[in-house]
Amino acid sequence: MTVSQTSPQKPDKGLLDKLPSVGNPVRRWWEGLGKPVKLTITIAFLIFLVILPLLNPPGISTDSAGLQFSNVLAECARTGLIALGLNVVVGLAGLLDLGYVGFFAVGAYVVALLSSPDSELALRWSWLACVPIAMVVTALSGLLLGLPTLRLRGDYLAIVTLGFGEIVRLLADNIGPLKGQTGFARVAFPVVGTSDSRPFGFFSNANNAKPFTSGLAWYWLIIVLILLMLWAVSNLEHSRVGRAWIALREDEDAAEIMGVSTFKYKLWAFAIGAAIGGLSGALMAGQVQFVNNQKFDVVTSMLFLSAVVLGGQGNKLGVLLGAFLIVYIPSRFTVIAEWKFLIFGVALIVLMLFRPQGLIPARHRLLGADLPKDATIDYEPDEEVDGVPPTNREAL
């Protein structure tokens, strides 16, 4: 396969396109390193992340703002996990989901209903037994939402998902067994490391004995889960499913003509993204040990979406960076905390003007997506490109 351009001159770039890119020099530097160096840097960075709450570095720590640093990092990590799930739907498959907080709520309520003594089910299951059920239930809720709605596109799909998030919140308000604002107390959590000084273990929110506080335990647990999700999503991204998602994101009509079952892969994205959202909700329920209807509003959903857009849709590390910024900045600088929605809104507008692809753009693009419009692509007659056989390509 060869790529040629009929026009030798590149189109003139505007002022905004000439602005320096933040992610590309770092990426070029990273790609120029050898594998042993990359592995060494990655391990060193992971060790730094693990011990960061123990280091509690002055100037970075939020202790001076009255917030325990390990708790803030645990919230950053949990929001990063949410952003990873939303990135599957928005960043990889290109489906605008404004009601992702609904899946987060379903996961939290499943754990609360199954484990809290306030629940009318009176099951009192352990937190660990509730987590896989929460993920399955949220994945099924993603399928139920997607089956009648995923034939919609763009703004219409965004409105439907926004409605889903509001429906979940209103159900929590108005259905008696879900207890509205009263909520569920004493939600189960992992009981590990009980002792005289820690009678309920490391994960109990009553454990404030430094340095191994409950915030530190949850932070380490969520870091492990993020690594597992990064591995799983990376494998999906490089599989046939991931290539189909990228084709959907770039041009759904073209993907369908090329033989991609767009509806099936949209359902995959919704179900997988919902399951990760449910896992995040289960983590929140276990860490806070209390669930009510106050954390699942539209504004929270917009904040999750802001993390994905700010970091870079389709880039896993980018969305993690976006989630960290969304949580850490208002926690570190509490003076501006009440203005965070205005500040992040303005930041998103500026980003859309100067760098719409986000701080760290997605790496995987469709073949020829970055070429000028007058470029032509020549294929060998029997060559398979991105998993698309020549017979389907001829349909174009």
Side-chain angles (χ1 to χ4, degrees), residues 279-324:
L279 172 62
S280 309
L283 288 166
M284 188 278 292
Q287 183 180 2
V288 181
Q289 295 166 37
F290 178 75
V291 174
N292 69 357
N293 58 4
Q294 297 299 302
K295 286 182 173 291
F296 310 116
D297 52 8
V298 175
V299 177
T300 306
S301 196
M302 295 302 113
L303 209 59
F304 294 160
L305 186 62
S306 299
V308 175
V309 175
L310 182 66
Q313 301 176 52
N315 189 304
K316 297 180 289 298
L317 297 181
V319 300
L320 289 175
L321 173 64
F324 174 79

Side-chain angles (χ1 to χ4, degrees), residues 54 56 79 97 147 153 221 229 233 255 263 266 282 318 344 358:
L54 299 175
N56 205 14
T79 308
D97 186 349
L147 279 171
R153 297 185 184 183
L221 174 62
M229 286 301 160
V233 173
F263 183 70
K266 282 181 181 179
F344 287 129

Side-chain angles (χ1 to χ4, degrees), residues 299 302-303 306 310 326 329-330 335-351:
V299 177
M302 295 302 113
L303 209 59
S306 299
L310 182 66
I326 289 288
I329 291 177
V335 178
I336 64 169
E338 61 181 295
W339 300 94
K340 66 179 180 181
F341 296 112
L342 174 64
I343 292 171
F344 287 129
V346 173
L348 284 177
I349 293 172
V350 173
L351 199 72

Side-chain angles (χ1 to χ4, degrees), residues 1 14 37 39 45-46 70 96 99 125 129 132 143 150 152 159 170 184 189 228 239 284 311 339 345 365 396:
M1 177 188 65
V37 180
L39 185 62
F45 183 66
L46 287 176
S70 56
L96 183 54
W125 287 6
L143 287 176
L150 282 179
L152 301 174
I159 292 169
L170 290 173
F184 299 88
F189 56 90
L228 289 175
S239 69
M284 188 278 292
W339 300 94
R365 309 288 296 180
L396 289 173

Side-chain angles (χ1 to χ4, degrees), residues 230-282:
L230 283 174
W231 172 78
V233 173
S234 292
N235 278 291
L236 273 175
E237 197 175 349
H238 292 90
S239 69
R240 179 181 291 271
V241 176
R243 290 194 295 273
W245 284 342
I246 295 170
L248 270 171
R249 181 187 67 194
E250 299 296 334
D251 192 327
E252 185 174 341
D253 290 329
E256 198 159 3
I257 291 172
M258 297 290 278
V260 176
S261 176
T262 55
F263 183 70
K264 181 179 79 174
Y265 288 112
K266 282 181 181 179
L267 275 181
W268 270 89
F270 247 58
I272 293 171
I276 299 175
L279 172 62
S280 309

